[in-house]
Amino acid sequence: MTDSSALDPEDRKIVTLARSARARNGVPEGAAVRDETGRTYVAGTVELTSLRLSALQTAVAMAVASGAKSLEAAAVVSEAEAVADADRAAVRDLGGPGTPVLLAGLDGVVRQTVTAG
């Protein structure tokens, strides 16, 4: 478990945004990513009959669609115990293998930080 007060303020911001997206939209997960310019992209889980994306995959797709060239960091708020391989791959595709991915519980406390690698 990571002390959230010890997080960089920009990382704390994306965790807060991810938590808000989850709560606001009533979805299983919320996610936020920060691009190379400091812009943030926030998303929730997408579950349609023909399309299923995790919150983190959706946030990465939003960043790409908005012209982001790379990612500085990503955060996901979930009940999951680990960041899914598919989520790490999406972050790695845009941000590279060293991009940090923060996993926070529903309370916003960061439980794990991994790299996209």
Side-chain angles (χ1 to χ4, degrees):
M1 187 177 325
T2 303
D3 179 5
S4 293
S5 65
L7 286 178
D8 172 274
E10 292 300 314
D11 289 346
R12 195 170 330 129
K13 175 182 171 183
I14 61 172
V15 170
T16 300
L17 289 170
R19 187 174 182 216
S20 296
R22 183 192 169 280
R24 179 178 56 251
N25 297 322
V27 291
E29 295 181 338
V33 298
R34 184 176 62 249
D35 74 9
E36 75 283 0
T37 68
R39 290 180 297 181
T40 56
Y41 306 88
V42 182
T45 310
V46 173
E47 292 184 2
L48 302 173
T49 302
S50 62
L51 179 64
R52 295 189 184 277
L53 295 172
S54 71
L56 196 47
Q57 291 170 330
T58 305
V60 170
M62 291 173 64
V64 169
S66 297
K69 302 296 183 217
S70 68
L71 295 179
E72 290 183 348
V76 62
V77 171
S78 174
E79 291 181 323
E81 295 298 318
V83 179
D85 290 341
D87 287 346
R88 291 176 64 198
V91 172
R92 183 175 56 246
D93 284 349
L94 186 58
T99 305
V101 181
L102 294 86
L103 173 64
L106 304 185
D107 58 1
V109 174
V110 176
R111 298 190 313 245
Q112 182 182 65
T113 301
V114 297
T115 61

